[in-house]
Amino acid sequence: MSTDQPPSPCTCFRLRKLARTTSRFYDQHMARVGLKTTQYSLLKNIAAGPRPVAELAAVLATERTTLTRNLKPLIDAGWVTLEPGRDARQRLVTITDSGRDKVREARRAWRGAQDAIEQILGFENVQALHAQLDAVFQLLNSHVTEDMSHASND
């Protein structure tokens, strides 16, 4: 395969490639506190307050099965618990005191990664990137939801 081929015109491929590279960059910083970036994000969202698994999955825009798999190491570490919800089918994801401690510790590592990204890309570029990503997410998410609702009506 020639290395001088133009990049794929596929938007999905390019976004996934960027996401993997960005994740590796943040993960290098988060490794100092024994977390992956995805784990830190989960802990931060859980620290906002107990939530049912389904609600947390929706907030994170992930499948419940993926979320459950990603929660396992956090539960095993004692940073998160699953508590009974309002009925037998519901489980609430709750952060523990040691989980809150881990979030505080990890915040410094995350801040280091964020500062480095802003230095490399420039603060204004990062702000513009955030705005564009948020706008694109809103546009695409509304179409994904629409397509899913049409499929369930068929």
Side-chain angles (χ1 to χ4, degrees), residues 116-137:
I117 285 283
E118 290 173 3
Q119 184 176 4
I120 293 166
L121 300 179
F123 181 76
E124 293 78 17
N125 288 333
V126 170
Q127 295 301 83
L129 178 61
H130 289 186
Q132 190 166 20
L133 290 171
D134 290 345
V136 169
F137 175 80

Side-chain angles (χ1 to χ4, degrees), residues 2-142:
S2 173
T3 58
D4 57 342
Q5 287 183 327
S8 171
C10 178
T11 302
C12 183
F13 170 79
R14 293 176 124 178
L15 287 171
R16 290 175 63 97
K17 184 177 173 182
L18 176 60
R20 285 189 301 270
T21 301
T22 304
S23 291
R24 280 193 304 270
F25 183 87
Y26 276 79
D27 282 346
Q28 288 172 349
H29 285 80
M30 298 307 294
R32 298 173 191 154
V33 296
L35 287 177
K36 294 183 178 188
T37 305
T38 52
Q39 293 171 321
Y40 174 63
S41 178
L42 259 176
L43 284 171
K44 285 270 300 169
N45 278 281
I46 296 165
R51 287 192 177 137
V53 172
E55 183 182 318
L56 183 59
V59 166
L60 297 171
T62 191
E63 299 291 326
R64 282 190 303 192
T65 55
T66 301
L67 175 60
T68 300
R69 186 174 53 250
N70 291 339
L71 285 172
K72 185 169 179 7
L74 304 181
I75 293 167
D76 292 346
W79 299 327
V80 170
T81 61
L82 287 177
E83 305 291 333
R86 281 182 246 131
D87 63 47
R89 294 171 294 159
Q90 188 182 62
R91 295 176 300 155
L92 295 177
V93 183
T94 306
I95 195 160
T96 65
D97 289 341
S98 63
R100 288 188 193 288
D101 292 343
K102 187 51 102 171
V103 168
R104 281 190 290 276
E105 178 188 11
R107 180 146 188 3
R108 291 186 292 277
W110 173 84
R111 184 72 255 172
Q114 186 65 28
D115 289 346
I117 285 283
E118 290 173 3
Q119 184 176 4
I120 293 166
L121 300 179
F123 181 76
E124 293 78 17
N125 288 333
V126 170
Q127 295 301 83
L129 178 61
H130 289 186
Q132 190 166 20
L133 290 171
D134 290 345
V136 169
F137 175 80
Q138 290 299 321
L139 288 169
L140 288 178
N141 193 49
S142 66

